[in-house]
Amino acid sequence: MSLLHLAVIFPFAMGILLTMLNRFFRKIHMGWPVLIVPTVLFVYFTSLIPTVSQRNPVSGYVPWIPSLDIGFNLYLDGLSLLLTLLITGIGVLVVLYSIYYMNQKEDLKRFYLYLLMFMGAMLGVVLSDNMIVLYGFWELTSITSFLLIAFHYKRKASTSGAQKSFLITVFGGFAMLAGFMMMYLMTGTFSIRATITEWGQIQESALFLPALVLILIGAFTKSAQFPFHIWLPDAMEAPTPVSAYLHSATMVKAGIYVVARFTPIFGGQGTWFWLVTGVGLLTLCYGSFLAVKKNDLKAILAYSTISQLGLIMSLFGVGSAALYFGYGESSAVYTVATTAALLHLFNHATFKAALFMVAGIVDHETGTRDIRKLGGLASFMPITFTVALVGTLAMAGIPPFNGFLSKELFFQAMVEVTHLRIFGLGSWSVLLPVLAWLASVFTLIYALIIVFKTFLGQRRSELPVEKLHEASVGMLIPPVILGVLVITFGLFPNLLAGSLIEPAMASVLPALLDGKEHFDVHFSLWHGITPELIMTIGVVILGVTLYKLLPRWKNIYEHYPQGLTINNIYHVVLDNVQHYARKWTEAYMNGSVRNYLVYIFSFTVALLVYAFFRSGENITWNFKGHAPFSFYEAVLLIALIAAAVSIPFAKNRLSAVIMTGAVGYLVTLLFVLFRAPDLALTQMIVETVSVALFLLCFYHLPELQRGRSSRRYLSVNMIVAVAVGIVMTFVALAASGTASLESISNFFVQESYNLAGGKNVVNVLLVDFRGFDTMLEIMVLGVASLSIYSMINLNLEAKDLGARLKFRKKENTQENDKHLDDEADNTKKYGNQERSSSTWDTVPLQSNDVLLQTTTKVVVFIILTFALHLFFAGHHNPGGGFIGGLVTAAALVLIALAFSTDTVRKALPIDFRSLTAVGLAIALLTGAGSFLFGAPFLSQTFGYFELPLLGETELATAMLFDLGVYIAVLGVTMNIILQIGEDR
């Protein structure tokens, strides 16, 4: 595992560690230890600038699923380096800013955990060379950004904005995944670098164009391009540090990164040129035009971000035309657009992060971001005003700030594109510089609005003068640093030219270089009287004029019908989808478990019958060669059938549970006869725990009452039951008679000891050969147990509390009610409030049977000893972590039944939910540990060692994985049993 891998893992590991250790440094703001993470990463990536700028990329490879060409492959070139420096550098300043912005009374553990997870996910996106790994990190950015935007989850606007961003970006992620799959079908690899080398062979494929469009949809959604931009303004409900980080240097740049990264593959194609350039310019114009309309500072910055992202996107589109001409001088003139895109990518991060921080300072000190209530703040907040002035002028492209350089290059690229005579441009190319110029005019207008309406003019703040003051030094340091960078890179732009911009260009346009050649990248503030300088002068003249006349023409925004806005269309579509989905669901989800089973079984039967007919002659029905029945097997089958048939005729729930348990135990005996001890043990313990669980559930239910059922009702039941039986019989016959491939079971039998060091093939399958399946299974069990816990302890609506409300402890009622905020929660009393077991009067399950209690005191130790034997012996003999955990849980269930659930809690004062998490963590870390040795995920090894007293002993890493399974199963089982076993 390379340092690059550690750099990606570092934020995740530190986020979890700092969250767990937070209790030890409560006296200091949690942001201070968190600040270490981006600082260390920024220093590390900065140290790689000389290496990468000399065309020596850094890479690391860890196999994951080699058979599918999926590996944790990381690659740091010029483009990745530029993004990683923004992610970590801006991350340092944002974390420092958040220390003074975020109140310590807020849930800082949650905030910084999400922030560090997002940072790690972004690093994974820009460093991944494998498309599937990139997609995994891509969706993780959507999840963590959802959590960050919804940080104030009691606010309706926060949850709504988080939902909108999540739905749109995840939709785009699915589209991008489909595009990646098509790329794999064309090339046979998920490696981005390998795909770039084969771009010439795949352009004629029928999947090339669909893959191009799908990947662009993913990029457009993440980078808020028209018409997917609507999530970004609503995401401004996030705390200001989140907005400064996500919407200046990280999340919104992820889509642009994907466009840049895949330009070597799709660049030079007319479809790519038109889509990227056209959508970018449309977004640029649309965002800048709407920014002028807004009155909220963060809303103005949100639409300005949309506009600036469109500018960068359009530049990458224009720059891709250089690949059409290939290597040679004819392509050099069009590389200006790519240079401008990369430079503005950097510049935008600096001035936009500074402006978001300024908006946060204004809100923090005045209590509002509404520019109609602001004004005249420059005299009270001179430093904040200075930073705002520098940032807005850079955004507007005014010299001598860094934004001027990239904007001049933007104009130059748009002018040069008018000379293109490819992709059907013709005279239409004149529109590109015209649209770019008009959008820049509106950019200047909203920049002037930010400065003049907030800091200059008459003071309109409702706060008294004595309460208006400059922000604290700590809150000012980050935006001041960014402001200094804006000026520094404006005056000395060539600091970036050879170190960052040129290496990034080589990554985006590798086909235009031969060997160790370099692009000639040079910036200057003055390069004579040029068309782009004249365009800038025109922008200033018209922009200032329109700002002065703003009251006369701003009412044009009122003439556009609100019903036709994209935002409104989104809400109408979403509301209708929810409405009709609810109607459709209510039509068949009527609360009848019998009806649900009819749906499930009917669909299964129909699907299998269809599969039989479709397969035709490919299925061989095996009606011969069956093993003879023994007398014992026949007796067991007859008893099993009799027990199953008797269940529907049971007159009370207890009888039904006993008969159900009898069916399970008879199946256990069949496994014994078939010499399958692992299956028999597992079936027996699962059946025991299940029967206990059924009894606990039925304890809370009324007596079973049987009424007369209609003939139609019974007929449907009989038809479905018979159909399922017949179809499953044919499935068994087809499975035993059809063998299109050689059975893999022989491989497992022969290699279980050689490859995994275990003689128990079943256990080796569970923890080694199919360990990934086992890990997912215990994850599902964990989710199920948490769901049961939530259903019992979390009451989403007051009406659902029912009679249980009277059991609430009276001494806790008044205390808890003080913390309820009906307006924030938007619910009645007791709504959305989690009730732990301590909040309710619980009546623990207990027995007064002296004989049972006395026997349990002896038997429980025998069972626990047997459980440990099963765990340790499972690799060579029947047993393992799964069955060991179940047997241990069975011993604890016996204690609960014989004494009480309180006895279990006192004997084992642990949180079984946390125990489940510990088990899952052990299993996951065991699988990930193989990365340290360059082996695929969940690779196991074993060896023989001389141990004191034990002599030569086999030790296998699979035992650690099995320990995780053991702990997770124990935690899951006891969490469910204890929750259901306590009457409330």
Side-chain angles (χ1 to χ4, degrees):
M1 182 173 288
S2 66
L3 286 176
L4 280 181
H5 290 98
L6 295 178
V8 174
I9 296 171
F10 187 50
F12 295 103
M14 288 297 291
I16 297 171
L17 182 64
L18 291 174
T19 302
M20 294 172 62
L21 299 180
N22 180 56
R23 67 183 67 177
F24 299 110
F25 45 84
R26 291 184 183 276
K27 293 183 179 180
I28 63 172
H29 196 287
M30 190 177 175
W32 288 113
V34 170
L35 185 62
I36 298 171
V37 179
T39 303
V40 170
L41 291 173
F42 181 71
V43 171
Y44 168 65
F45 287 116
T46 303
S47 68
L48 297 177
I49 292 177
T51 302
V52 176
S53 61
Q54 295 302 316
R55 297 291 193 277
N56 296 312
V58 182
S59 62
Y61 172 73
V62 173
W64 182 14
I65 311 176
S67 58
L68 296 178
D69 191 42
I70 298 175
F72 190 14
N73 308 338
L74 303 181
Y75 185 74
L76 181 72
D77 59 2
L79 179 62
S80 298
L81 180 62
L82 177 63
L83 269 297
T84 54
L85 289 174
L86 290 179
I87 293 166
T88 55
I90 300 295
V92 171
L93 298 176
V94 166
V95 173
L96 178 60
Y97 178 82
S98 69
I99 293 172
Y100 296 91
Y101 185 89
M102 301 295 291
N103 194 315
Q104 278 196 281
K105 294 181 180 179
E106 298 187 89
D107 191 354
L108 296 182
K109 288 194 302 183
R110 187 163 53 88
F111 176 79
Y112 286 114
L113 175 62
Y114 297 161
L115 192 67
L116 288 177
M117 288 176 61
F118 177 83
M119 185 182 297
M122 276 302 306
L123 289 174
V125 167
V126 301
L127 290 173
S128 295
D129 180 57
N130 189 281
M131 297 181 200
I132 297 300
V133 177
L134 187 154
Y135 169 75
F137 283 116
W138 180 276
E139 294 296 33
L140 189 55
T141 62
S142 296
I143 295 170
T144 49
S145 66
F146 168 83
L147 295 171
L148 285 167
I149 296 168
F151 178 71
H152 297 121
Y153 57 88
K154 291 185 178 181
R155 300 177 186 171
K156 178 65 176 177
S158 295
T159 54
S160 176
Q163 181 194 52
K164 183 183 291 187
S165 69
F166 185 78
L167 290 176
I168 293 175
T169 56
V170 168
F171 158 75
F174 286 153
M176 191 174 70
L177 177 62
F180 289 164
M181 292 300 179
M182 292 180 181
M183 297 295 291
Y184 179 77
L185 293 175
M186 289 186 285
T187 62
T189 179
F190 283 116
S191 171
I192 299 175
R193 284 182 293 163
T195 304
I196 290 173
T197 62
E198 299 183 19
W199 69 273
Q201 287 74 38
I202 64 176
Q203 291 186 354
E204 300 301 323
S205 172
L207 296 176
F208 184 77
L209 184 59
L212 180 155
V213 173
L214 290 169
I215 291 174
L216 279 183
I217 289 175
F220 290 161
T221 55
K222 190 73 83 173
S223 285
Q225 298 298 288
F226 185 92
F228 307 111
H229 65 280
I230 56 174
W231 67 266
L232 185 56
D234 285 11
M236 293 299 116
E237 290 297 326
T240 297
V242 174
S243 300
Y245 193 47
L246 269 65
H247 308 136
S248 67
T250 54
M251 182 173 173
V252 293
K253 300 292 173 64
I256 290 174
Y257 166 79
V258 167
V259 169
R261 179 59 74 195
F262 282 85
T263 292
I265 301 171
F266 298 113
Q269 300 293 312
T271 305
W272 180 269
F273 174 88
W274 279 112
L275 282 176
V276 178
T277 306
V279 170
L281 279 175
L282 180 59
T283 305
L284 167 65
C285 296
Y286 186 83
S288 61
F289 180 70
L290 282 188
V292 177
K293 173 186 177 183
K294 302 301 174 181
N295 296 309
D296 184 283
L297 270 178
K298 284 182 73 173
I300 296 172
L301 293 176
Y303 279 97
S304 76
T305 300
I306 293 170
S307 176
Q308 297 293 307
L309 293 172
L311 185 153
I312 300 170
M313 191 70 73
S314 65
L315 284 170
F316 275 118
V318 172
S320 68
L323 293 172
Y324 176 86
F325 299 99
Y327 180 75
E329 294 183 2
S330 57
S331 62
V333 68
Y334 302 111
T335 60
V336 173
T338 304
T339 306
L342 293 168
L343 181 61
H344 201 67
L345 185 71
F346 182 90
N347 291 343
H348 175 258
T350 56
F351 64 68
K352 187 54 63 69
L355 289 174
F356 270 118
M357 292 179 185
V358 166
I361 290 173
V362 171
D363 187 20
H364 192 272
E365 301 304 326
T366 66
T368 183
R369 299 191 306 260
D370 192 336
I371 58 175
R372 294 169 297 185
K373 299 178 181 179
L374 297 171
L377 296 181
S379 57
F380 303 97
M381 308 168 72
I383 299 176
T384 304
F385 165 66
T386 303
V387 174
L389 184 64
V390 170
T392 51
L393 292 179
M395 182 169 60
I398 305 299
F401 307 107
N402 60 1
F404 170 75
L405 295 164
S406 46
K407 194 212 63 178
E408 291 291 284
L409 290 174
F410 170 56
F411 283 159
Q412 181 182 345
M414 291 301 163
V415 171
E416 294 291 348
V417 83
T418 58
H419 305 303
L420 272 178
R421 292 298 178 263
I422 57 175
F423 307 142
L425 272 168
S427 57
W428 290 102
S429 60
V430 178
L431 286 177
L432 273 64
V434 172
L435 293 174
W437 185 79
L438 287 174
S440 297
V441 171
F442 282 94
T443 300
L444 178 61
I445 294 172
Y446 66 69
L448 294 174
I449 289 174
I450 292 174
V451 173
F452 282 90
K453 299 291 186 181
T454 306
F455 294 98
L456 301 177
Q458 183 179 357
R459 185 177 69 85
R460 294 182 292 274
S461 175
E462 297 176 357
L463 286 176
V465 174
E466 57 271 16
K467 290 190 176 182
L468 291 173
H469 56 81
E470 188 62 271
S472 63
V473 175
M475 198 181 295
L476 287 171
I477 290 175
V480 167
I481 291 175
L482 289 168
V484 170
L485 291 178
V486 168
I487 298 172
T488 301
F489 292 125
L491 295 174
F492 309 102
N494 290 304
L495 292 173
L496 299 173
S499 58
L500 292 179
I501 304 303
E502 195 282 330
M505 285 189 65
S507 302
V508 179
L509 304 173
L512 303 186
L513 295 176
D514 184 16
K516 293 292 183 178
E517 284 185 338
H518 288 69
F519 287 104
D520 181 19
V521 179
H522 180 78
F523 304 117
S524 61
L525 277 172
W526 174 256
H527 31 77
I529 304 298
T530 59
E532 48 269 23
L533 179 61
I534 296 173
M535 292 172 71
T536 299
I537 296 172
V539 165
V540 173
I541 295 172
L542 184 58
V544 171
T545 303
L546 289 177
Y547 172 76
K548 288 288 187 180
L549 300 175
L550 186 61
R552 298 186 181 183
W553 61 269
K554 194 175 181 180
N555 61 354
I556 63 172
Y557 292 102
E558 300 174 3
H559 295 292
Y560 188 83
Q562 290 299 310
L564 296 180
T565 62
I566 298 175
N567 212 35
N568 187 67
I569 293 171
Y570 163 84
H571 286 293
V572 169
V573 170
L574 186 63
D575 291 343
N576 278 282
V577 167
Q578 291 177 334
H579 172 74
Y580 288 108
R582 189 179 300 111
K583 288 289 185 183
W584 172 252
T585 303
E586 290 172 353
Y588 68 90
M589 295 290 285
N590 56 5
S592 170
V593 177
R594 175 263 182 187
N595 287 353
Y596 303 158
L597 292 175
V598 169
Y599 304 150
I600 295 170
F601 289 141
S602 299
F603 177 78
T604 304
V605 167
L607 188 64
L608 290 172
V609 170
Y610 173 76
F612 289 153
F613 281 104
R614 286 282 297 177
S615 301
E617 298 178 355
N618 295 326
I619 294 180
T620 302
W621 307 99
N622 183 16
F623 293 100
K624 299 178 181 180
H626 299 297
F629 283 96
S630 69
F631 171 75
Y632 301 105
E633 292 169 355
V635 171
L636 282 177
L637 282 173
I638 292 171
L640 193 152
I641 293 171
V645 170
S646 65
I647 294 173
F649 300 98
K651 294 184 178 181
N652 55 66
R653 298 187 191 277
L654 181 61
S655 300
V657 171
I658 292 173
M659 289 298 101
T660 303
V663 171
Y665 288 120
L666 289 170
V667 171
T668 301
L669 290 176
L670 279 176
F671 287 146
V672 172
L673 290 178
F674 292 151
R675 298 179 181 179
D678 282 280
L679 292 177
L681 275 171
T682 305
Q683 176 69 24
M684 180 179 68
I685 303 303
V686 168
E687 201 61 45
T688 301
V689 175
S690 298
V691 169
L693 189 59
F694 275 128
L695 290 173
L696 291 174
C697 290
F698 289 164
Y699 170 77
H700 299 283
L701 297 178
E703 291 185 5
L704 181 64
Q705 297 181 358
R706 293 193 175 278
R708 293 180 61 84
S709 300
S710 66
R711 183 172 298 178
R712 178 183 177 185
Y713 182 91
L714 296 175
S715 300
V716 171
N717 290 354
M718 184 181 69
I719 292 171
V720 172
V722 171
V724 170
I726 293 174
V727 169
M728 294 312 297
T729 301
F730 278 101
V731 168
L733 293 172
S736 61
T738 305
S740 57
L741 299 172
E742 183 181 354
S743 174
I744 198 174
S745 59
N746 292 330
F747 168 81
F748 293 135
V749 173
Q750 295 170 6
E751 302 295 339
S752 65
Y753 185 76
N754 296 329
L755 299 179
K759 298 176 182 178
N760 181 2
V761 180
V762 174
N763 183 258
V764 169
L765 276 170
L766 291 174
V767 300
D768 196 318
F769 292 136
R770 302 299 297 270
F772 200 78
D773 293 349
T774 304
M775 190 181 72
L776 293 178
E777 287 166 5
I778 61 175
M779 285 184 174
V780 170
L781 289 174
V783 171
S785 71
L786 289 177
S787 300
I788 292 172
Y789 176 87
S790 300
M791 285 192 293
I792 293 175
N793 291 282
L794 184 65
N795 300 283
L796 299 179
E797 296 289 344
K799 64 181 181 181
D800 294 333
L801 292 175
R804 286 172 50 179
L805 190 60
K806 66 182 180 183
F807 289 108
R808 292 187 68 227
K809 290 184 179 180
K810 295 180 180 179
E811 61 268 25
N812 289 340
T813 303
Q814 294 179 355
E815 180 182 347
N816 288 338
D817 288 351
K818 293 178 182 179
H819 301 292
L820 294 175
D821 185 352
D822 292 344
E823 183 177 354
D825 288 349
N826 199 25
T827 60
K828 299 293 185 182
K829 273 190 177 181
Y830 314 120
N832 269 353
Q833 300 297 310
E834 183 174 344
R835 308 298 183 199
S836 65
S837 58
S838 62
T839 310
W840 301 89
D841 276 333
T842 58
V843 182
L845 180 69
Q846 58 185 358
S847 170
N848 295 320
D849 192 325
V850 178
L851 179 61
L852 177 62
Q853 292 177 352
T854 304
T855 306
T856 298
K857 292 178 181 179
V858 178
V859 172
V860 71
F861 291 103
I862 300 174
I863 297 175
L864 290 173
T865 303
F866 181 55
L868 291 175
H869 166 76
L870 290 173
F871 172 70
F872 285 107
H875 211 48
H876 294 292
N877 298 296
F882 192 90
I883 183 62
L886 283 174
V887 173
T888 305
L892 298 180
V893 170
L894 180 59
I895 295 174
L897 292 174
F899 297 95
S900 69
T901 52
D902 277 353
T903 304
V904 177
R905 294 190 185 278
K906 291 176 182 178
L908 288 174
I910 57 177
D911 184 350
F912 286 101
R913 289 173 295 155
S914 299
L915 190 67
T916 303
V918 169
L920 291 172
I922 292 174
L924 184 61
L925 290 174
T926 304
S930 57
F931 289 152
L932 298 175
F933 304 94
F937 183 68
L938 268 175
S939 296
Q940 309 290 3
T941 187
F942 68 97
Y944 294 88
F945 305 89
E946 286 290 336
L947 299 179
L949 301 178
L950 299 177
E952 187 180 57
T953 306
E954 179 189 332
L955 296 179
T957 57
M959 184 177 178
L960 293 174
F961 180 78
D962 221 10
L963 176 64
V965 175
Y966 174 93
I967 295 174
V969 169
L970 175 61
V972 165
T973 307
M974 293 311 300
N975 185 45
I976 295 172
I977 292 293
L978 292 180
Q979 288 303 311
I980 295 178
E982 291 179 339
D983 193 8
R984 288 163 170 80

